[in-house]
Amino acid sequence: MAQTIPVAVSGPFPRSLDYLPPETDTPPVVGARVRVPLGRRQMVGMVTGPPRDPGLAGHRLRQITQVLDLQPLLDSELLGLISWSARYYHHPIGDCIATALPARLRQGYPAEPASETRWQLTPAGDEADIEALRRRAPRQAALLDALRSTDDLPAGQLAGLGGDARGALQRLVERGYATAVERADYGLITGRGTEGAPALNPEQAQATSALQPGAGHQVTLVDGVTGSGKTEVYLDAIARATAMGLQSLVIVPEIGLTPQLVSRFQARLSAKIAVLHSGLADGERLNAWLAAGSGAADVIIGTRSAVFAPLRRPGLIIVDEEHDASLKQQEGFRYSARDLAVMRAHRLECPIAMGTATPSLESLANARAGRYTHYRLTERAGNARPPQLRLLDMRGQPTTEGLSAPLLSTVRQHLDNDGQVLLFLNRRGFSPTLICHECGWLAECDRCDARYTYHRGRSRLHCHHCDRETPVPAVCPSCNSVDLRPLGLGTERIEGALQTALPDTPMVRIDRDSTRQRGRFEQHMAAAQRGEAQLLLGTQMLAKGHHLPAVTLVAIINADQGLFGADFRSPERLAQLVIQVAGRAGRAERAGEVVIQTHQPEHPLLQTLIHGGYPAFAEAALTEREAAGLPPARAMALIRAEAPGQTAPLNFLKAAAATLPTDSSVEVLGPYPSPMERRAGRYRAQLMLQANQRGTLQALLTDWLPGVSALPMARRVRWSVDVDPAEML
DNA sequence: ATCTGCATCATG
DNA sequence: ATGATGCAGATG
C-alpha cells in the first residue's frame, strides 16, 4: 500500500488528512505548506508528520497539488507545541495551525521577507583609481568613496549624497565598480542600548538570578507591586540572553502596552526587536514572524498569538501581566497564551518569567505547589510610598450623580494642593439603562437579554453586547410618556456632574468612546502626563500600565458592581482592578490616597483587600475556591452551544450529557442556559465538567467528544469546547 | 415544470 | 467551514 502524507487543513477535522505525495514535486518535508484538493476546492495545508500508512483503508486518496515550502516553515518544536495544544484544547489541528501563522502564510504567499535593494562595491570598484575618476566624474568618485566606507548603501540613502546620484550610480554599475544586492528587510527596531541599567535592588537581583537562559527550565512568578521594577528584571534577563546569542520572547496582553515597552527596550537593549500584534499590516506581520524564525530578531514582543512565534535560538520567555484575561482567546481556538508559554518553556527547557502586581489564583496555586518559584518585589523605586486604601461608606450620604459629598470634598482638597485626581468607573456611556418614569418600561436590546446603554452625546441607545445602535425614542413606546429618564451611572454622566461641581478644572475622560479616533488615547494620556488635565476620568483603559506620577488621589466610584458578578471569578477581577487602578497613584514622591466608594463597606472581600492587601485577598480566595471545588483547585471545561432557537442548544447538550460515562469521577453540572441566555439574537447554553485532576478530565474529553460530534443534533447548533474557561458567560 | 430554502452529508 | 445534494413547498 502506498504511503500517505498527513496534512492539516482548516475545517472540522480533529486530525490531519492523508494525501498521496505530489506528482512532480519532491515530497514535502514535515512543517512545509502544501496545496491540496479538498472537495472541489484547493486549500493550503501543513504537513504534520512523516509519510505513514493511511488510517482509512479503501478510501479514495487524493494527491498533493503543490509543495509551497522547501524548508520547514514550522520546526518540530513549534509543530509539537501546536499539536499539543490542539489535543489539550480539543480543537481542530488545522485551525490551530492557522492561528499560529500570519495571514500571508495562511494564504499561501511565499515565506519571504520584504527586501530592499542595496548597492555594494565590487572587487573592481575596490581597486579602481578614484583620483583619476575624481577629475572627470566627481559625482561617481564621491559615490565610490561612500561605497568604500560602508558594507553597502540602501537605495534610499543615495539622495542624501547630493544631486541626482542615480545617473552616477548607473555609470558605476556599467563600469563594474558597483552592484545591486537584495537584502531582507524585516522592519526590525534597532535597540540603541544607550541608556544604562540602574543597579538592581536585592529583591530584583534575586528574581533575575532565577532567570538563567541556557540553564534549563524554571518558572518564575515575579509578583511585584506597581512601581517595583518588574521591567528591570525582564530587561536584565533579556540582556543576558541577548549576550549569549539567545532570543527572548515577550508576551503582553494588549497592543496598548506594546509601544511603551518597546521604547523602553529600545533605549536599554543593544538588540534587534520584532513586534508582533494584530494592529500590523499583513506584510509587517509576516516580516516580524520571519525575523523571529530566521533569528534576525533578538527580542520578539507581541500579544497572545506571539506565543506561537517561531524561534531559531530560543533562550527566554516572559509573560507580562500574567493575570490579564485577554491572554486567553475567547472564541474559536480558546487557548491561554500564558499557559502555552509555560508549556513551551518547558518543552524548550528554557526559563520563563511571569510578571504581575496581582497574580492570578492559578499562578499562586502553582507557586504553592512548588511548580513555580515565587518572588515578591515589595520596594517601590525612588522611595515612592505605597498608596493608602480607604473605603468610603456611601450609605446615607448625600450624592450628586453617584459622587458622595465626602468624595467631592476629598477631590477638592487634592486639587487645591495641586494634586492630580483619577476617577475610575468601569462603565462607559451616560447611563446603563433608560427607564420610563410613568410606566417602568426599560430600553432593552431586542437581540440580547440586556438593556441598552444610553449615550447622551451621540443621542443613541447602544447595546454593548451585540453592538446594535438605535436612536433614543422621543416617547415611551409602551405608554407614550415623554418622561424617559437615564438610570444608573456611566463615565459620560460623571463627566457632566464633575464639570458642574468643579468648573474650571481641566479634565479628560478616557474610555472607548472618547478615544475612538486613532491617536486620541495617546493624546489624552500625554495631556494627563504633562499635568494639563487635573481630573482624569475613565474606565479600565486607565488601569493598565501607564505612569501618571502626579496622581495623588484615585477614586473608585462604584466598587459594588464588581461585588456580585455572575462569574465565580468576579471577586478576583475586582480585586485585581482595584489594585491595578490604585497603582496609578503616588508613583512619585507624594504618597497616594485611594478611596473606594461602596454601599457594602463590611463586605469581606473589600475588608480583606483594605486591611491585608492583595496577598491576603488571594489567600482567602484560594481557600474559598478550595472549599467550593472550583479552579484552580479543580480542573474545569465548558461545552458551549448556541442556536437561533431556544431549545436546540439545551437539547443538544442534554443529548451529549446522556452519552457521558456513568462510572467517571468527572462531575457534571447542567446543561443550563448561559448567564445571558440570548445574545446577538442567539440562544446559548452550557454544560460544565469538573474533575479533581486535569488528566481525568482530559481523558474523558478525548474519549467522549468524538461521539458528541457524531450526534445528529450537533449539526443543528454551533458548539465549542472551552478547556480552563476564563469567563463563564 | 421550475425555483427556493433548508436540512443533510462528505470532505483524505 | 464550505460546497453539493435532495426534498418539500411555493410559484405564474
Side-chain angles (χ1 to χ4, degrees):
Chain A
M1 159 99 62
Q3 294 240 299
T4 57
I5 294 168
V7 177
V9 292
S10 78
F13 314 106
R15 308 252 153 256
S16 297
L17 305 181
D18 286 308
Y19 284 89
L20 293 167
E23 187 110 315
T24 46
D25 288 352
T26 46
V29 294
V30 176
R33 289 169 303 158
V34 288
R35 228 179 267 285
V36 291
L38 182 72
R40 59 177 48 215
R41 291 179 304 159
Q42 286 286 321
M43 311 274 282
V44 175
M46 168 70 58
V47 177
T48 54
R52 63 183 183 187
D53 293 322
L56 274 125
H59 196 278
R60 180 176 78 108
L61 286 167
R62 300 176 79 184
Q63 207 165 31
I64 290 171
T65 316
Q66 189 192 4
V67 175
L68 293 169
D69 301 300
L70 296 177
Q71 302 293 319
L73 196 59
L74 300 177
D75 60 19
S76 63
E77 182 265 317
L78 193 45
L79 203 50
L81 177 78
I82 299 168
S83 306
W84 184 90
S85 47
R87 285 190 301 273
Y88 183 82
Y89 290 104
H90 299 275
H91 195 78
I93 177 77
D95 249 26
C96 299
I97 289 172
T99 302
L101 294 178
R104 284 279 168 89
L105 296 180
R106 221 155 46 217
Q107 292 152 10
Y109 280 79
E112 283 161 14
S115 77
E116 181 193 36
T117 307
R118 289 181 161 252
W119 300 98
Q120 216 171 44
L121 203 63
T122 60
D126 198 34
E127 285 160 19
D129 183 354
I130 200 162
E131 293 313 319
L133 198 62
R134 209 178 290 284
R135 267 167 282 132
R136 298 212 336 275
R139 232 177 236 165
Q140 287 178 49
L143 207 49
L144 204 55
D145 253 346
L147 286 170
R148 279 181 181 177
S149 61
T150 52
D151 287 346
D152 52 13
L153 272 180
Q157 236 173 62
L158 291 176
L161 295 170
D164 183 10
R166 300 227 315 268
L169 186 66
Q170 189 63 41
R171 295 290 302 145
L172 283 184
V173 172
E174 280 165 22
R175 283 175 197 267
Y177 291 171
T179 179
V181 258
E182 291 298 314
R183 216 174 68 167
D185 179 10
Y186 291 108
L188 296 176
I189 294 163
T190 304
R192 299 182 300 274
T194 44
E195 205 172 277
L200 298 180
N201 67 37
E203 289 178 337
Q204 290 171 320
Q206 219 188 359
T208 199
S209 72
L211 297 168
Q212 297 295 344
H217 175 62
Q218 187 176 1
V219 188
T220 303
L221 179 60
V222 185
D223 173 2
V225 299
T226 316
S228 64
K230 288 183 290 289
T231 310
E232 289 305 329
V233 174
Y234 306 159
L235 281 166
D236 185 81
I238 294 169
R240 280 181 287 118
T242 307
M244 292 172 74
L246 297 175
Q247 290 172 298
S248 304
L249 175 62
V250 184
I251 319 254
V252 296
E254 278 172 54
I255 320 176
L257 299 177
T258 29
Q260 308 149 65
L261 212 54
V262 169
S263 62
R264 206 144 155 219
F265 280 20
Q266 189 176 15
R268 285 284 295 281
L269 299 167
S270 310
K272 296 282 187 188
I273 303 166
V275 181
L276 263 174
H277 59 70
S278 57
L280 299 175
D282 287 353
E284 292 177 307
R285 193 154 185 181
L286 172 64
N287 286 336
W289 195 89
L290 292 170
S294 69
D298 302 302
V299 179
I300 298 93
I301 170 167
T303 47
R304 202 166 48 220
S305 66
V307 75
F308 295 116
L311 297 171
R312 181 74 180 278
R313 37 192 177 88
L316 172 69
I317 301 181
I318 288 166
V319 179
D320 194 25
E321 307 295 350
E322 67 84 22
H323 65 278
D324 198 299
S326 49
L327 289 170
K328 172 108 203 244
Q329 182 141 310
Q330 287 297 355
E331 55 185 51
F333 176 23
R334 295 172 173 257
Y335 65 100
S336 158
R338 181 237 283 149
D339 296 350
L340 285 183
V342 172
M343 175 48 75
R344 191 169 188 192
H346 176 71
R347 297 168 58 101
L348 285 169
E349 295 184 52
C350 82
I352 176 168
M354 302 205 285
T356 175
T358 52
S360 63
L361 298 185
E362 279 73 14
S363 293
L364 285 174
N366 279 318
R368 258 193 198 178
R371 286 186 287 269
Y372 299 177
T373 322
H374 190 174
Y375 291 94
R376 286 192 184 83
L377 309 183
T378 55
E379 293 173 37
R380 285 162 68 111
N383 296 325
R385 312 196 30 100
Q388 280 300 304
L389 269 64
R390 176 159 71 84
L391 293 179
L392 200 162
D393 187 353
M394 291 279 279
R395 291 173 300 184
Q397 292 289 347
T399 66
T400 42
E401 305 282 47
L403 303 166
S404 68
L407 175 62
L408 274 174
S409 82
T410 308
V411 169
R412 282 204 186 87
Q413 264 174 39
H414 279 261
L415 293 175
D416 289 344
N417 291 327
D418 285 329
Q420 213 172 21
V421 175
L422 189 162
L423 294 150
F424 174 85
L425 178 67
N426 210 7
R427 191 155 249 176
R428 62 200 174 88
F430 189 84
S431 69
T433 320
L434 189 71
I435 191 168
C436 172
H437 191 60
E438 291 291 323
C439 75
W441 170 87
L442 291 166
E444 284 170 330
C445 176
D446 47 5
R447 310 194 329 138
C448 308
D449 291 331
R451 261 136 276 149
Y452 277 120
T453 298
Y454 171 45
H455 290 254
R456 183 140 89 178
R458 279 183 290 147
S459 190
R460 308 281 282 180
L461 297 175
H462 183 198
C463 175
H464 289 179
H465 301 282
C466 73
D467 223 29
R468 161 169 292 219
E469 270 197 0
T470 62
V472 182
V475 298
C476 171
S478 167
C479 74
N480 286 324
S481 159
V482 291
D483 198 358
L484 296 174
R485 299 187 181 181
L487 186 68
L489 294 170
T491 46
E492 200 187 342
R493 189 171 196 172
I494 300 281
E495 183 182 30
L498 286 169
Q499 275 161 351
T500 312
L502 304 158
D504 310 322
T505 308
M507 160 168 52
V508 285
R509 188 183 103 213
I510 299 182
D511 56 30
R512 198 129 58 83
D513 301 308
S514 73
T515 57
R516 204 167 293 274
Q517 300 109 308
R518 237 173 83 89
R520 282 302 281 284
F521 177 76
E522 290 73 17
Q523 201 180 315
H524 282 153
M525 227 49 213
Q529 274 160 344
R530 283 194 303 268
E532 283 161 30
Q534 260 200 299
L535 261 180
L536 316 172
L537 166 68
T539 55
Q540 50 183 323
M541 284 186 121
L542 270 178
K544 309 232 163 153
H546 285 87
H547 294 250
L548 294 165
V551 167
T552 57
L553 171 68
V554 168
I556 292 161
I557 293 172
N558 181 6
D560 297 350
Q561 67 183 72
L563 246 23
F564 309 102
D567 200 308
F568 71 88
R569 266 180 255 259
S570 301
E572 180 187 355
R573 294 269 136 80
L574 174 64
Q576 287 166 347
L577 203 55
V578 167
I579 299 298
Q580 298 281 346
V581 182
R584 305 302 107 210
R587 299 198 63 156
E589 315 72 44
R590 296 193 268 186
E593 186 181 359
V594 178
V595 174
I596 303 169
Q597 284 201 135
T598 176
H599 286 94
Q600 308 274 334
E602 267 91 54
H603 195 287
L605 159 59
L606 293 175
Q607 284 298 322
T608 311
L609 200 54
I610 294 296
H611 296 115
Y614 189 80
F617 159 78
E619 193 74 21
L622 269 176
T623 308
E624 247 174 66
R625 299 277 184 88
E626 201 89 39
L630 288 167
R634 303 171 80 204
M636 183 187 279
L638 285 183
I639 316 299
R640 305 163 183 276
E642 57 168 75
Q646 187 164 23
T647 50
L650 281 166
N651 286 340
F652 159 67
L653 291 174
K654 270 180 211 150
T659 68
L660 278 164
T662 46
D663 58 345
S664 161
S665 61
V666 172
E667 190 191 340
V668 184
L669 272 107
Y672 51 88
S674 302
M676 183 190 293
E677 186 178 17
R678 215 161 81 91
R679 183 172 177 162
R682 302 176 69 85
Y683 289 87
R684 308 174 310 148
Q686 49 199 347
L687 180 69
M688 188 194 289
L689 304 176
Q690 288 205 97
N692 288 335
Q693 303 297 133
R694 224 154 253 280
T696 313
L697 185 55
Q698 279 296 329
L700 175 125
L701 290 171
T702 306
D703 290 347
W704 174 62
L705 287 172
V708 174
S709 314
L711 289 172
M713 268 186 270
R715 308 192 144 275
R716 265 167 253 143
V717 299
R718 200 187 284 171
W719 68 284
S720 63
V721 184
D722 193 349
V723 178
D724 306 330
E727 306 199 352
M728 310 298 294
L729 314 171

